[in-house]
Amino acid sequence: MAIGDAQVDAADLETVAQQLGRTPRGTRAIASRCPSGHPNVVQTNPRLPDGTPFPTMFYLTCPKLNSLVSTLEGSGLMKEQTERLAEDPELAAAYQRAHESYLAERDAIESLGTQVTAGGMPSRVKCLHVHVAHALAKGPGVNPFGDEALALLREQALWPAGDCSAS
């Protein structure tokens, strides 16, 4: 099935629908996969089919990973990360670059006419799910807070581990 200018396999869309418990909206591509091969991040179009802006370009779909990231959010990690932005100019610069990269990629698909990206970028950390999805989609070194969250999960041997679909 073609969505936008990308190809998305019908089986992947069905898997994502099962993961989300609903039909996915605005799916452009599978941006990342769990170690088990299932989609764990989808790239969405900047606008949903009805024209509604959808600024979350990378959307975390894996239920296991979503749950683990929610646990990190509940631990106060986002507050601590936001505080470090004010104290660490290098971290703030890396986060600014993540914001600019995200915005440029989204605007290359379709501009929403705003400088707002997602997850609180570039001034705070508002949604760790967005940052983890961005880090998985783009690889290490692009989103410092997504990389940090993934490193914490790996250090704790929580992810990646086993077949996410069996959870």
Side-chain angles (χ1 to χ4, degrees):
M1 168 186 285
I3 298 183
D5 60 2
Q7 294 292 316
V8 181
D9 183 278
D12 282 338
L13 284 176
E14 179 58 32
T15 298
V16 171
Q18 290 173 6
Q19 291 172 327
L20 298 176
R22 62 171 174 76
T23 301
R25 303 173 299 156
T27 304
R28 181 175 184 75
I30 303 303
S32 177
R33 293 181 181 276
C34 286
S36 58
H38 298 96
N40 65 5
V41 176
V42 295
Q43 181 186 35
T44 60
N45 287 311
R47 292 187 190 277
L48 296 174
D50 69 0
T52 303
F54 196 73
T56 305
M57 183 170 54
F58 299 108
Y59 197 87
L60 194 60
T61 63
C62 174
K64 179 176 184 176
L65 190 52
N66 263 313
S67 177
L68 293 170
V69 172
S70 291
T71 299
L72 289 177
E73 284 186 343
S75 75
L77 180 61
M78 294 182 305
K79 182 178 186 279
E80 183 267 326
Q81 289 173 325
T82 297
E83 289 169 356
R84 283 190 293 139
L85 280 173
E87 302 163 1
D88 185 338
E90 287 182 29
L91 179 62
Y95 198 47
Q96 178 69 35
R97 286 189 301 274
H99 164 72
E100 290 167 359
S101 170
Y102 196 104
L103 183 62
E105 186 170 355
R106 186 191 72 205
D107 284 356
I109 299 166
E110 180 184 358
S111 176
L112 295 178
T114 179
Q115 295 296 301
V116 174
T117 51
M121 290 190 274
S123 60
R124 63 188 176 123
V125 182
K126 184 173 105 177
C127 178
L128 207 48
H129 294 82
V130 166
H131 299 299
V132 167
H134 189 205
L136 286 169
K138 303 316 291 180
V142 174
N143 187 311
F145 293 124
D147 290 347
E148 183 178 306
L150 287 168
L152 286 170
L153 294 176
R154 288 181 182 118
E155 286 171 12
Q156 299 170 20
L158 297 172
W159 192 87
D163 185 350
C164 65
S165 68
S167 299

